[in-house]
Amino acid sequence: MTTIQVFDPALCCSTGVCGVETDQALVTFAADVDWAKQNGAHIERFNLAQQPMVFAENASVKGFLERSGQEALPLILIDGEIALAGRYPNREELARWAGLKEVEETKPGACCSGSSCC
């Protein structure tokens, strides 16, 4: 099984979806992670503020931070290899990396799966 590891910058909570002003990118990513996990993906998230030792103990992450600094986070590893840095992946990328078939969500208000039969 593929393991996706997300090394987040220092966030106020484990997902960053907290507080008065939340970043929409974090809200979307948290929803995409939940979707992927519900469909069988193995995703681990690490927060620099809450789990700094995980960052220090991973040679790839430590080297990345030494070269690029924490401003370059988030960092995404797929089975230990760097796959993406500087932004969060979208649902399509998570699905591809995890080997999931992405299912299109029905748009609110649409009937008959988008056909004009209604």
Side-chain angles (χ1 to χ4, degrees):
M1 172 181 275
T2 300
T3 299
I4 300 169
Q5 294 177 303
V6 180
F7 291 86
D8 288 302
L11 301 171
C12 61
C13 62
S14 63
T15 62
V17 182
C18 50
V20 179
E21 294 182 30
T22 45
D23 182 350
Q24 185 57 45
L26 287 170
V27 173
T28 301
F29 181 64
D32 291 344
V33 167
D34 286 343
W35 171 86
K37 284 182 174 183
Q38 289 174 6
N39 285 282
H42 184 247
I43 301 174
E44 301 172 333
R45 286 185 78 176
F46 305 102
N47 182 331
L48 183 58
Q50 297 173 350
Q51 300 157 296
M53 289 307 295
V54 175
F55 288 70
E57 293 170 351
N58 183 305
S60 295
V61 176
K62 183 178 178 183
F64 174 82
L65 288 173
E66 288 170 354
R67 285 187 305 277
S68 304
Q70 64 181 342
E71 306 80 37
L73 294 174
L75 177 66
I76 315 301
L77 302 184
I78 308 299
D79 291 334
E81 300 289 326
I82 295 175
L84 184 65
R87 70 169 177 85
Y88 288 99
N90 58 40
R91 185 173 291 200
E92 180 181 305
E93 290 166 321
L94 287 175
R96 183 176 66 245
W97 294 335
L100 303 175
K101 182 176 180 177
E102 187 176 2
V103 178
E104 287 191 34
E105 294 181 25
T106 306
K107 303 279 188 249
C111 61
C112 305
S113 300
S115 71
S116 58
C117 66
C118 298

